Amino acid sequence: MLKKEHQEPAGAIHLLFAGEKSESTRPLPHPQVDPVQKRLSDISIPVANLRDLLVTTLNSLRAKEIAHLEVLDETGLITPEIERALPPVLLERLQQARTTIANEKPDLEF
């Protein structure tokens, strides 16, 4: 983790190394990412593809990742093709996250 002297850990830069587990609670090591280069003004920025982002998110699966999964799902970005490419343990975590999301949504009957 890279942080300034009095900086909170949440605001720090966290480095994740492909092929390694950063925490014992992660079911899989961090994936080998295959970023694509995107241009922003006059600089080129490596951007993780959606599958790699999803694998990383499901591998961690904290409350904020569940919120991210909800947005990805609601916008249709988690396609059946991407789901089929997930390892079974991560597909199970995706299903658990979806159950959590469904159970926490308010019942809006009018």
Side-chain angles (χ1 to χ4, degrees):
M1 177 180 351
L2 302 175
K3 69 182 195 83
K4 296 178 182 170
E5 188 174 333
H6 299 289
Q7 185 177 21
E8 293 294 321
I13 295 172
H14 298 257
L15 301 175
L16 305 176
F17 296 93
E20 294 183 9
K21 284 186 176 185
S22 56
E23 297 175 13
S24 62
T25 56
R26 297 180 193 280
L28 300 173
H30 295 292
Q32 185 71 39
V33 294
D34 187 22
V36 294
Q37 294 295 319
K38 299 288 185 179
R39 300 267 327 146
L40 180 63
S41 298
D42 40 334
I43 60 172
S44 182
I45 300 171
V47 178
N49 65 50
L50 187 57
R51 183 197 175 279
D52 292 343
L53 176 65
L54 186 59
V55 167
T56 302
T57 300
L58 289 168
N59 206 24
S60 180
L61 205 58
R62 297 170 294 183
K64 68 181 178 180
E65 275 85 18
I66 292 174
H68 296 159
L69 289 168
E70 182 176 14
V71 172
L72 291 172
D73 242 353
E74 286 179 353
T75 56
L77 292 172
I78 303 176
T79 64
E81 178 183 76
I82 289 175
E83 285 188 47
R84 284 191 295 274
L86 291 174
V89 67
L90 296 185
L91 185 57
E92 182 179 323
R93 282 180 155 223
L94 177 59
Q95 292 165 342
Q96 290 171 353
R98 285 175 170 158
T99 300
T100 299
I101 292 164
N103 289 339
E104 292 179 1
K105 283 202 184 259
D107 186 14
L108 300 175
E109 290 187 29
F110 294 96

